[in-house]
Amino acid sequence: MATSEPYSTALSSSSSLSVSPAETPNHSASTTSLSSLSSIGGLDGVASPPPAKLVDGVGNEFHVPDFTIKQIRDAIPAHCFERSAATGLYYVARDIGCLAATFALFHRYLTPDLIPSTAVRTLLWILYSVLQGLFGTGLWVLAHECGHQSFSTSKTLNDTVGWICHSALLVPYFAWKITHGKHHKATAHLERDMVYMPKTRDQYAAAVGRPSHALAELLEDSPLVAAASLLQQQLGGWLAYLATNASGHDFHERQPEGRGRGKRNGFGTGVNHFNPASPLFDAKDAHLIWLSDLGLLIMAAVLHALGQRFGWANLAVWYFAPYVWINHWLVAITYLQHTDPSLPHYTPQTWTFTRGATATIDRNFGFVGRHLFHGIIETHVLHHFVSTIPFYHADEATAAIKPIMGRHYRASPGGPGSFLTSLWTSARMCQWIEPNVDAQGEGKGILFYRNRNGLGAPHGSGVRSRVMATSGTAATLVVGAADSDSE
């Protein structure tokens, strides 16, 4: 998705402003180990806001975050940092129990003798795949907790549980853990972020075969084209990311050991999550990548044995249909955590850890999000500030940091249905990024989403134009109770 041309150069071309009305995110707390970030510039630095007013993709005035990581950490109650192996293992057992019980019930009662109608049995097996996809995603999230060391105080237990659970879901645990950690250390950084790197105006223009200055002349995307693009993302996005680093940065020439020379994202280039020599990793990571691959090979052998024993059609229904649902939910969750018209992206010159962590949003998926997905949707802002806080303390910690973040905290409004409608909204509104046309100084290095669909403010204007007619799809900037006390 990203070009190998530095953004400081790529952004020198003309740009314009367009704002989208319906989605303005609220941030959820997430943190990476701050000790590992001590060498990264801007960790606690508080930069002065740019002189000119900036307008985000929703039409709201954008303010650069004005608080520090220390303020965030100090606001969180000490017990929120406590991790319990017993609690973590209970939730793993619960999710595995749900998966096992669902399989046992459907396998026992969905037989031709008990349900003669083929059509009814088919519908019920589809329901089975949906349920297993939900429970499987919950297990995925717990392995994600292991990768962040928020599962327990034991790194050995964390990595053992994470490797087993992720391998069972065909995820290369350690490879993903490494690149995901890099994502946390460079969120919204236009040359270092590891996922959902947006296209610049010029890149989007090249993709549609038009010069960048002619984008305003393009017709609105047809709903069919937008739907097809979204379907492709939801069905194949996760596998493309693992196999080709799709949506990750493409600046591999900068890999310090030289293993990125001549490497670009894509099939057959060696840039993937399975190759120990990939520029996504360092030489010291090789044994962990091999261990990830071993987990996948063991699971592949288990699946092959099951297919041979019980038939491949049965295995497709029992395992692979839920697997597709799990991949869908994973892509939907992560895409919507980092893609919203109100979210900024930063050039290397303007990025700091605080700004990047703030460029995320909390959403609402009701019972599914809170209980089956362990709150990963509802507390993501917090997670980017402190990723070692376990999910069962995340709500309390999120409430604690809201007054510190004030107007910088983002959360999508609406009920549980808004999570799904936000997929459509973001797909239509978030097509490329560019700085405000009248940005000055540092503001030129803060970029916002724009689109060709006439959604948001007119180019070069801070005035809200038309609002997307989809209820609950716009994220709103929620002002905390102590907005004036950020500093």
Side-chain angles (χ1 to χ4, degrees), residues 16 34 39 73 108 148 161 166 206 252 297 322 336-337 376 381 388 428:
S16 58
L34 294 179
S39 62
R73 291 185 66 89
R108 171 67 179 84
H148 281 292
V161 173
H166 263 178
H252 305 301
L297 289 173
L336 290 178
Q337 287 169 340
I376 195 173
V381 175
T388 52
R428 297 275 285 162

Side-chain angles (χ1 to χ4, degrees), residues 228-252:
S229 176
L230 191 59
L231 182 65
Q232 181 182 30
Q233 170 185 287
Q234 293 309 117
L235 290 179
W238 171 242
L239 296 179
Y241 173 66
L242 292 180
T244 70
N245 199 42
S247 89
H249 79 73
D250 212 1
F251 293 88
H252 305 301

Side-chain angles (χ1 to χ4, degrees), residues 345-369:
H345 284 76
Y346 298 93
T347 62
Q349 295 76 22
T350 59
W351 181 90
T352 67
F353 178 81
T354 303
R355 294 178 179 184
T358 309
T360 55
I361 178 172
D362 286 340
R363 299 189 187 271
N364 177 17
F365 202 21
F367 176 86
V368 171

